[in-house]
Every structure is written in structure tokens, then in C-alpha cells.
Amino acid sequence: MSEWILAVDGGGTSCRAAVATASGQIVGRGLSGAANILSDPATARRHILAATENACREAGIDPAMVSSMPALLGLAGSNVGDVAAQIAAALPFARTDIVSDGLIALQGALGDADGTMAILGTGTVYFTRDGGRVRTLGGWGFQVGDQGSGAWLGHALLQQCLLAFDGVRPGSALSAAVLAEFSGDPGAIVSFARAAQPSDYGRFAPRVFEALAEGDAVAADLVKAAATAIDAALDAAAGKGSAPICLLGGLSSLYAPHLAARHRARLVAPLADALTGAVALCAARLTAAGQREA
Amino acid sequence: MSEWILAVDGGGTSCRAAVATASGQIVGRGLSGAANILSDPATARRHILAATENACREAGIDPAMVSSMPALLGLAGSNVGDVAAQIAAALPFARTDIVSDGLIALQGALGDADGTMAILGTGTVYFTRDGGRVRTLGGWGFQVGDQGSGAWLGHALLQQCLLAFDGVRPGSALSAAVLAEFSGDPGAIVSFARAAQPSDYGRFAPRVFEALAEGDAVAADLVKAAATAIDAALDAAAGKGSAPICLLGGLSSLYAPHLAARHRARLVAPLADALTGAVALCAARLTAAGQREA
């Protein structure tokens, strides 16, 4: 085994890697493109390798050395079918552990402590470590889940625009502005929605918070409904104890002031990022394996 | 011009036609397959012709005679782009008027009277005739509208199954039974939802009403939310007057007892079906055209 270890944080927009000492001190970092193992495993493998080789170069280590290093990868989509096993088999590392992107984010955010991490971005998902055991809540995706997510909020806004157009619900400056962006044509909203991906809806989410700050009534109703859904998920995920709750994701700071007081009182800032969490998990597993061998 | 007129009610599952006297007395009816002018205009044209020819045969009229008959067609999707004009140009009738499927249903349901027709099926749409003028409300489709529709209800049920699985919301016998149909695997619900069309969701809607009759709490919440959405749409569509409200569509009799008393008091049964409405519209337009020529 090498004196070095590798950690990877791979997702749909980029792949980040770190090379670290066996005890977890990062000595080099590398970046590359998307590592979407579900939609494009071949490109994902290439970008994982590029990121790890870039990390070696920054550390002044021969990139060919990765074949002697143990690696831990936190990858989005790794819980689906056998894609993780296929990617692991196609990588040259001395040993390849693949875990979910959520697990490395949880490790980064909370370290070894118990607590709950909520990722509030285009989607929503909750991870809780309780007595060392990790459980997941939500993360089912936009079609039948992700209540309160950016996609959910943008989608709900477009629904309100149509209901306001029909006179079924009161409109507001926000709903009027959005309808105007669709040339005042509700059919254009319908056409947009037929082709929209969750990220397309999610782009409207920051607008809702901006309008809320200006006192917009439609925005206030939407954020209230979304925050209520997130509070309900946090009640189930984090329970009634006092373990910390850490909010991550692009909407985390926007939602924080709107959550229930029982949750706001438990909010903590993340200790570190997901890549740091992956390094820590890799080092810990290496230590555990060494202890089993000893 | 022929002494006969043609009327067609064409939709996504079948196409029905009638041949009638110039004053609107039906003398023959014909049926054929789907006439979806948006997704498959060539098949739609073939089925429109087949239905009208079948109607002629039933009336003992030479099917070649359709080329001398004026026709009025109520077709789903006819308000999108120029598909209606294209279909009209490809049909052999002496004159071809194409209107929406909603307009012929409204004419059938209410005759020449003012009032509102709500179609409560896989989708929802509202038509109101007020002082002779017809306006539409809703009908935007499942992606960003159709609140309270069968698709909406089935979709909301699957969301509740996942929230119950996660412990975010209380479950019930209904949510447990549906999850069991997906082998107890929430991921199977997510997979289903990724591929589901509105009609796939809509198939769960009757189950919600069955469970409601057995006192199921999840079903009660869902029907209450759906009926509230339909009541809000009816408030906007039908206003505060006393003009009749006619409910059509597969879920109409299921929803009727759950609507607000202010709407239940105005409910009337439809006078006739959409095909009869198309015949009446065709006869009326012929009369109007004759009067203009005279």
C-alpha cells in the first residue's frame, strides 16, 4: 500500500479529488468535469481519473502512483443498481470504496458527531447519523418527492401564475412578472413545463425569495408551504433531540430564517466540505482495515 | 349542399360521428378508433372518415355522399397551432368546421342555456357560457395545472406513500396497500413516476374514493384538498350567480358529494352528450349561414 490515499467527490456538474496522507492530511487537490455515473459512466470514469491525476500533480506525486493508492469515492447515483460496482471495477486504484455523495457530505458537515444534514438545493434529501448509524430520508426526486426543493418551489410558482391568470387565486407582482416573461401567454408556460427538467424549474426559486423580501404575497405563501414541508421532514429526520442540524445546498441560507424555531435553534455551520469528508472516511476505513489485519 | 349534415366527436380514445338532417335529427351513428390530431394526425383523419362513413351506412346513405355534406368536428387539441386547419384541409366534406371538444360537450350538456360545465377526468377544464359568450378556465394539463384531476389525485397519493414511508406524514391502509403493490419499495414508486403519463396516475384516483368510503384518513385529506381546488376553480368559472353547473368526466359523480354546498345547489345533469352537441352546433351554423346568404 501507498503512503497516500485518494478521495473523490463526484457529481453531475464536476468531479473533485484529493490526495492525502494515510492519516487524512490533504496534500493536493484536483478538479475535472462531470462524473454522472448513471447517465454517462465512461465520461464519469475519465473525469474521476483526471481529477485524481490533477490532485497528484498538485502534490508533486507521479500520477501513475494512483494504482497503488486506496480510494474512497462519494458519487451521486451510486445507490442505483450495480453502477457503483461497474465503475469500481473500471478504476485502477489499489482499492476502491464507493459510497453515496450524501455520506461524504455528512462526514464533512458533522465530522464524527451525531446529527442531521439537510441538502436544500434543486432537490431535497436528509441524512441523519444517530449512534453512529446513518439513515436517509427523502431524496426521491422531483416527480413524487423533494417537497420544498428549488424545483418544487419554481414549479409551484408556475402553477400559481396559471391560477392567477384564470382568476382562481390572487396574483401578485411576482406572478405577473413571470407571466410577462412568457409573453403573457399561459400556453407558453405549459410548453415550458412539458420540457422542463427539475433544474429548469429550480432557476425560478431564488426569484421567489427575492419577491418575498419585497413583501410579495404569492411568494410568501409559496415559501411558507415549502418551509412547512421542510420542517415536517426535519421533524422526522432529526427528531426531538438536540443533535445539530446542518443545512447545505444552494437554498440553505435562504430557507434558514423561515424554518420553525425548534429547528433554527439546532442549526450549525458545516465543519468542512464533502471532499474533506471523503478524505476522513477513507483514512478511517484504512485504519479500521489495518486494525483488522493487525 | 346535401340534405344531411355530419357531426364528429373525436378524442384520444375513440372517434364518434353522426349523420343528421339539416335541422339536427340524428339518423345514423358511427364509431372508430382514436382521433388524436396532435400526436397522430394521419390516423386521426382516417378514423374521422371511418366514423362518418359508418354513420352513413347505419343511416342507409352512400358513404361517398360525405363529400357533399357540411361537417362540424369537436376535436381535442384543436386549439394548438394550426393542426385544425391542416386536418380540415385533408378532409373531403363539403365544408369543415373544427371546434374544441369542450365546446361540443358544453353544447350537449347545457343546450343553448348559460351555465358552466366542469370536466373532471384524468385532467380538469371548465367551460362557461355567459350571455352567449363561451370562456374556458384551466385545462392546462398535468404538468402545471389540472388541480383536483384524476392524475393530480393519483400523483398526490403516491407522494403521500413516500412521505408515509419516511415517517414525515401519517400513513393509512390506503398508502400501505399502494406501497405493497410496489413490493414495499419506494424506489419502485419513483421509477414508476419517472415514466408515468397522466393516465397512469389517474388509474389510482378511483381507489382514493373507495378508501374514503372506508374512512381512510389519507384518502380523506387528498379528496378534501382536491375538492377545495375544484371549488376554487368553480368560484372563478361559474361566479356567484345561479346559472347551472354540469359535471362531466369519469370522476364527476365521485366528486359531486364533496363539493361546497354553494356549488352542489347548482348541479344539473347534462341534457345530452357531446356528439349531440356537435350536431346541434352544425345545424345552427348551417341555419346562420343560410340566413346570411338569404
Side-chain angles (χ1 to χ4, degrees), chain B residues 144-244:
Chain B
V144 276
D146 286 9
Q147 288 83 1
S149 68
W152 185 94
L153 201 57
H155 178 249
L157 172 60
L158 295 188
Q159 288 185 310
Q160 290 303 314
C161 290
L162 293 178
L163 290 169
F165 175 87
D166 276 338
V168 176
R169 295 266 304 160
S172 70
L174 174 63
S175 67
V178 170
L179 182 61
E181 284 169 31
F182 286 94
S183 309
D185 175 13
I189 293 182
V190 174
S191 297
F192 171 87
R194 285 200 173 141
Q197 296 296 309
S199 58
D200 299 320
Y201 288 120
R203 275 193 281 278
F204 288 94
R207 295 272 301 277
V208 177
F209 287 95
E210 288 163 27
L212 174 62
E214 292 161 9
D216 189 278
V218 165
D221 285 348
L222 290 174
V223 171
K224 187 178 178 189
T228 300
I230 294 168
D231 278 325
L234 282 174
D235 283 331
K240 288 184 189 299
S242 60

Side-chain angles (χ1 to χ4, degrees), chain A residues 22-276:
Chain A
S23 62
Q25 276 201 295
I26 294 176
V27 294
R29 293 169 187 268
L31 181 71
S32 67
N36 194 323
I37 60 174
L38 287 180
S39 65
D40 190 352
T43 301
R45 175 183 170 279
R46 205 158 34 104
H47 285 160
I48 290 167
L49 283 175
T52 54
E53 290 168 9
N54 289 341
C56 286
R57 283 194 195 93
E58 189 184 279
I61 298 168
D62 178 2
M65 291 273 288
V66 299
S67 63
S68 67
M69 300 182 196
L72 184 134
L73 292 69
L75 300 177
S78 63
N79 55 337
V80 177
D82 59 353
V83 290
Q86 288 175 11
I87 281 282
L91 290 169
F93 311 130
R95 164 181 148 176
T96 304
D97 282 348
I98 297 185
V99 300
S100 77
D101 52 340
L103 191 64
I104 63 170
L106 180 69
Q107 186 69 39
L110 295 175
D112 293 326
D114 281 352
T116 293
M117 172 188 72
I119 302 182
L120 308 176
T122 302
T124 52
V125 62
Y126 303 80
F127 291 84
T128 296
R129 192 196 278 127
D130 186 5
R133 292 178 57 181
V134 175
R135 62 172 186 270
T136 308
L137 185 150
W140 302 117
F142 173 69
Q143 278 89 1
V144 276
D146 287 9
Q147 287 84 2
S149 67
W152 185 96
L153 200 57
H155 178 250
L157 172 60
L158 295 188
Q159 288 185 310
Q160 291 303 314
C161 291
L162 293 177
L163 290 169
F165 174 88
D166 276 337
V168 176
R169 295 266 305 159
S172 71
L174 174 62
S175 66
V178 170
L179 181 60
E181 285 169 31
F182 286 94
S183 309
D185 175 14
I189 293 182
V190 174
S191 298
F192 171 88
R194 285 203 172 139
Q197 295 296 309
S199 58
D200 298 320
Y201 288 120
R203 275 193 280 278
F204 289 94
R207 295 272 299 276
V208 178
F209 287 96
E210 287 163 28
L212 175 62
E214 291 160 9
D216 189 277
V218 166
D221 284 349
L222 291 174
V223 171
K224 187 178 178 188
T228 300
I230 294 168
D231 278 326
L234 282 173
D235 283 331
K240 288 184 190 296
S242 59
I245 295 172
C246 186
L247 306 182
L248 297 180
L251 299 178
S252 53
S253 61
L254 293 170
Y255 270 125
H258 302 286
L259 297 183
R262 64 185 179 279
H263 296 136
R264 286 205 312 275
R266 294 167 65 178
L267 293 183
V268 296
L271 295 175
D273 66 7
L275 185 62
T276 306

Side-chain angles (χ1 to χ4, degrees), chain B residues 72 99-119 125-137 233-234 236-246 248 266 268-274 276-282 284-285:
Chain B
L72 184 134
V99 300
S100 77
D101 52 339
L103 191 64
I104 62 170
L106 179 70
Q107 185 68 39
L110 295 175
D112 293 326
D114 281 353
T116 294
M117 172 189 72
I119 301 181
V125 62
Y126 305 79
F127 292 83
T128 296
R129 193 197 278 124
D130 186 5
R133 291 179 57 182
V134 174
R135 61 172 187 269
T136 308
L137 185 150
L234 282 174
K240 288 184 189 299
S242 60
I245 296 174
C246 186
L248 297 180
R266 295 167 65 178
V268 298
L271 295 175
D273 66 6
T276 305
V279 169
L281 279 180
C282 190
R285 291 193 178 192

